[in-house]
């Protein structure tokens, strides 16, 4: 009869060999090459008879061009005199650069050199299949300024663009001129202030459904039933959001990721960064903003470095909602110009 210790050794060997083999494999295995980044198309992919070309054609602004970066091709426009003081306008979560249609021309008329562009996942810029975290947007602007040979510029951000402006100032302060303007700025929104609908619609499960072809076909039928011609009740800004949602496969995922991972929330460290030292900051906020509550504007000021905080200015627009760049464009532009031209 075989002794009991033999059985113990055999059993132990049988238990140890598989983990040893698996562990050895993990140590010597070499990963597969990284997959090529998937890019979803922009509005440029839609036929010229599509509704988007009526509302927001790629030549909506003069001086438009495309440039390709590692995260995809993007669209930008340069307006105004070449020797004008440089200003960058960063749009928000869902509406691309068309949102600046009433402000950019006023700045140009004042002699400014204005840079507008579509963020990744919106308008005429590609939608990379990636996480839409703050770094994606800050690097996008840094590469664009390098491409244009812009050493510095005043930075203006609206809504989520304000969060991007804060992150950009924190990480690339040498590219930011003395002035930063934050309009209805996101960046500090708390979870309780994000609607249940937005949370539900940005969930991975719902996004999987929203990205499916049957659902997109349904949205396309809905958008094709409305006409922007001769119908004063149709808001072009709402329509361009609908068109992107229905026709651009990467748009809904970009919005969802931006809400969950982007510069909408959690930017306290950016606002308090040393990158804001030596900068002048103007905040403009509507008193009836239900998307980004007016309470966040003074909180942003409190986070700024001490010297910056002392000179920061908050302008409130009575009865102004979230889209004050559209509804109160003249007031907003006047405040911007007064701030940009002030001798501090």
């Amino acid at each position: 009869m075989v002794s009991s210790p033999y059985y113990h050794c055999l059993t132990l060997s049988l238990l140890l060999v598989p983990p040893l083999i698996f562990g050895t494999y993990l140590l010597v295995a070499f990963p597969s090459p990284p997959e090529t980044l998937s890019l979803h198309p922009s509005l440029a992919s839609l036929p010229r008879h599509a509704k988007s070309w009526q509302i927001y054609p790629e030549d909506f602004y003069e001086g438009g061009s495309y440039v390709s970066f590692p995260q995809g091709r993007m669209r930008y426009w340069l307006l105004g005199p070449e020797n004008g003081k440089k200003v960058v306008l960063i749009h928000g979560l869902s509406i691309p650069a068309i949102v600046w249609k009433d402000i950019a021309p006023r700045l140009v008329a004042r002699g400014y050199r204005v840079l507008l562009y579509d963020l990744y996942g919106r308008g005429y810029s590609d939608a990379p299949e990636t996480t839409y975290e703050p770094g994606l947007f800050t690097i996008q602007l840094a590469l664009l300024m390098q491409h244009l040979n812009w050493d510095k510029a005043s930075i203006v951000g609206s809504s989520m663009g304000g969060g991007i402006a804060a992150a950009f100032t924190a990480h690339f302060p040498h590219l930011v001129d003395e002035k930063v303007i934050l309009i209805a700025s996101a960046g500090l929104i708390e979870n309780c202030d994000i609607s249940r609908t937005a949370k539900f619609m940005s969930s991975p499960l719902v996004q999987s459904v929203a990205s499916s072809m049957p659902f997109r076909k349904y949205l396309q039928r809905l958008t094709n039933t409305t006409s922007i011609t001769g119908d004063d009740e149709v808001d072009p800004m709402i329509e361009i959001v609908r068109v992107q949602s229905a026709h651009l496969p990467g748009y809904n995922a970009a919005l969802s990721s931006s809400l969950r991972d982007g510069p909408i929330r959690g930017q306290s460290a950016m606002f308090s960064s040393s990158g804001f030292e030596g900068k002048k900051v103007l905040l403009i906020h509507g008193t009836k903003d239900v998307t980004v509550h007016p309470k966040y504007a003074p909180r942003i000021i409190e986070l700024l470095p001490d010297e910056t905080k002392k000179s920061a200015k908050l302008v409130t627009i009575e009865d102004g909602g979230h889209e004050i760049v559209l509804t109160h464009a003249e007031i907003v532009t006047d405040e911007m110009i007064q701030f940009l031209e002030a001798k501090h």
Side-chain angles (χ1 to χ4, degrees):
M1 180 178 294
V2 180
S3 64
S4 177
Y6 172 80
Y7 280 113
H8 288 160
C9 290
L10 180 61
T11 302
L12 184 62
S13 299
L14 292 174
L15 290 174
L16 289 177
V17 168
L20 286 173
I21 294 174
F22 182 68
T24 303
Y25 169 78
L26 291 179
L27 289 174
V28 301
F30 197 73
S32 301
E35 295 182 3
T36 302
L37 179 67
S38 296
L39 298 174
H40 295 290
S42 70
L43 288 177
S45 66
L46 302 186
R48 293 297 175 115
H49 59 77
K51 188 184 298 184
S52 59
W53 289 90
Q54 302 174 51
I55 305 170
Y56 181 44
E58 67 178 6
D59 60 353
F60 186 83
Y61 300 107
E62 63 183 15
S65 297
Y66 286 100
V67 61
S68 293
F69 295 134
Q71 297 296 324
R73 191 176 76 149
M74 62 166 293
R75 180 76 173 174
Y76 68 91
W77 298 264
L78 277 175
L79 315 178
E82 292 187 10
N83 61 349
K85 185 174 180 180
K86 298 178 178 66
V87 178
V88 178
L89 303 180
I90 311 172
H91 67 77
L93 177 70
S94 57
I95 304 174
I98 188 179
V99 78
W100 299 108
K101 66 183 181 65
D102 297 322
I103 288 181
R106 287 184 167 92
L107 293 174
V108 170
R110 192 73 177 188
Y112 288 93
R113 182 68 162 166
V114 179
L115 170 61
L116 307 104
Y117 66 103
D118 286 339
L119 296 171
Y120 282 129
R122 286 83 172 168
Y124 289 95
S125 292
D126 288 343
E129 199 169 287
T130 187
T131 302
Y132 284 72
E133 45 85 28
L136 175 71
F137 300 117
T138 57
I139 292 173
Q140 180 185 11
L141 178 53
L143 289 175
L144 179 56
M145 290 181 65
Q146 182 186 51
H147 172 72
L148 297 172
N149 292 318
W150 278 27
D151 295 329
K152 284 190 175 185
S154 296
I155 307 297
V156 182
S158 174
S159 189
M160 186 182 79
I164 296 172
F168 186 80
T169 303
H171 292 301
F172 301 99
H174 60 287
L175 297 178
V176 181
D177 210 345
E178 189 185 18
K179 307 293 178 67
V180 179
I181 301 177
L182 307 172
I183 305 171
S185 179
L188 299 181
I189 297 179
E190 298 168 352
N191 288 351
C192 60
D193 284 331
I194 299 177
S195 69
R196 292 179 180 176
T197 301
K199 292 176 182 176
F200 175 75
M201 292 303 296
S202 65
S203 66
L205 177 60
V206 172
Q207 281 306 305
S208 297
V209 175
S211 300
S212 65
M213 184 56 69
F215 189 81
R216 287 177 47 229
K217 287 293 184 183
Y218 170 72
L219 289 178
Q220 289 170 18
R221 285 197 297 271
L222 289 181
T223 58
N224 291 338
T225 58
T226 58
S227 172
I228 63 167
T229 304
D231 188 350
D232 293 333
E233 295 183 359
V234 175
D235 185 339
M237 300 301 157
I238 294 176
E239 281 302 297
I240 200 64
V241 170
R242 289 174 177 169
V243 169
Q244 292 176 102
S245 182
H247 292 276
L248 301 184
Y251 176 75
N252 292 323
L255 262 61
S256 172
S257 182
S258 296
L259 278 170
R260 298 168 67 87
D261 312 300
I264 300 288
R265 308 172 296 152
Q267 298 299 291
S268 297
M270 302 298 101
F271 290 111
S272 60
S273 166
S274 60
F276 273 95
E277 292 177 359
K279 304 291 190 281
K280 305 297 181 183
V281 180
L282 169 67
L283 294 96
I284 307 176
H285 218 108
T287 60
K288 296 293 181 65
D289 190 338
V290 296
T291 303
V292 180
H293 195 281
K295 68 184 179 184
Y296 291 114
R299 290 185 186 180
I300 288 174
I301 292 178
E302 283 303 310
L303 287 170
L304 296 172
D306 290 340
E307 290 302 315
T308 307
K309 182 189 311 180
K310 292 176 183 177
S311 63
K313 180 182 179 182
L314 171 60
V315 174
T316 55
I317 297 181
E318 287 299 321
D319 297 324
H322 187 60
E323 300 296 346
I324 50 177
V325 295
L326 293 166
T327 60
H328 297 72
E330 186 173 353
I331 298 174
V332 170
T333 310
D334 288 345
E335 292 291 345
M336 290 172 59
I337 291 173
Q338 181 180 342
F339 175 74
L340 290 170
E341 297 180 358
K343 304 297 183 182
H344 295 278

